[in-house]
């Protein structure tokens, strides 16, 4: 009797779990093999980004890399004299030419400056490179930039910000930011 009851509860639990997994299944978004771009917006946003990249055609795709860490695509379009670039990483549009990205560099720098000079800084997540570019514009002796995606590193190295790879005071590390912090013995001011 007890075994039958346990078996019945297990069967009901399994059916509920299967039903819930069907509801939680990622949306089927074209171009992306993972479909979880919705984490950074809704499904409509992910589909719009996918459509933009697909519509761009090969002539506008400047760079594309599919890797274990994800899919990276850089497109470029001429909009009547204004060149628009879009860096898409795992379905997430990497914006980066706006004030909030500059503040990610400036606020910690100037906050620390109240206590003393900034000698070194750590930048986790290169993205479009705007935050790192702002950090590099500040009087900091050394900067470590950690990026998980080889595609993001390569898109920046080749197209977006090659100057950030020619600067001796910036060291690029291809690794997960959390894991880097766990094994790195260096302390950072910013």
């Amino acid at each position: 009797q007890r075994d039958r009851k346990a078996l019945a509860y297990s069967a009901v639990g399994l059916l509920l779990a299967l039903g819930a997994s069907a509801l939680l299944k990622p949306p089927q978004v074209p171009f992306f093999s993972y479909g979880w771009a919705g984490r950074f917006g809704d499904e409509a946003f992910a589909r719009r980004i996918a459509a933009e990249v697909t519509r761009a055609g090969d002539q506008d795709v400047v760079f594309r890399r599919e890797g274990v860490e994800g899919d990276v695509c850089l497109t470029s379009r001429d909009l009547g004299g204004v060149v628009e670039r879009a860096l898409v990483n795992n379905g997430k549009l990497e914006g980066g030419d706006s004030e909030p990205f500059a503040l990610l560099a400036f606020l910690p720098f100037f906050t620390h400056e109240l206590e003393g000079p900034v000698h070194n800084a750590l930048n986790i997540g290169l993205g479009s490179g705007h935050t790192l570019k702002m950090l590099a514009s500040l009087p900091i002796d050394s900067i470590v930039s950690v990026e998980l995606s080889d595609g993001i590193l390569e898109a920046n190295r080749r197209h977006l910000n090659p100057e950030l790879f020619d600067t001796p005071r910036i060291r690029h590390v291809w690794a997960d930011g959390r894991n880097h912090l766990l094994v790195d013995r260096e302390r950072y001011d910013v």
Side-chain angles (χ1 to χ4, degrees), residues 1 21 44 70 97 108 127 141 161 165 176:
Q1 176 99 6
S21 71
D97 295 333
D141 299 333
N161 298 294
F165 292 82
D176 175 73

Side-chain angles (χ1 to χ4, degrees), residues 11-131:
V12 168
L14 179 63
L15 288 173
L16 287 173
L18 287 173
S21 71
L23 294 174
L24 298 175
K25 195 165 63 173
Q28 297 302 311
V29 179
F31 174 73
F32 307 116
S33 59
Y34 29 80
W36 281 105
R39 292 184 311 174
F40 307 105
D42 59 10
E43 184 179 345
F45 172 76
R47 287 185 182 281
R48 192 181 90 232
I49 296 301
E52 286 289 321
V53 171
T54 303
R55 189 180 75 217
D58 287 340
Q59 72 274 10
D60 290 333
V61 175
V62 177
F63 175 84
R64 182 152 186 199
R65 166 90 40 97
E66 294 182 32
V68 175
E69 310 86 23
D71 299 340
V72 175
C73 185
L74 175 64
T75 61
S76 181
R77 249 195 306 244
D78 187 349
L79 303 173
V82 176
V83 176
E84 177 187 75
R85 289 183 175 178
L87 180 64
V88 179
N89 180 16
N90 284 337
K92 176 182 174 273
L93 184 62
E94 297 280 348
D97 295 333
S98 60
E99 291 81 18
F101 287 90
L103 288 176
L104 287 173
F106 293 148
L107 284 177
F109 176 82
F110 289 115
T111 303
H112 190 282
E113 279 280 304
L114 296 173
E115 297 177 14
V118 175
H119 297 290
N120 60 4
L122 174 67
N123 181 73
I124 297 178
L126 181 58
S128 62
H130 192 68
T131 301

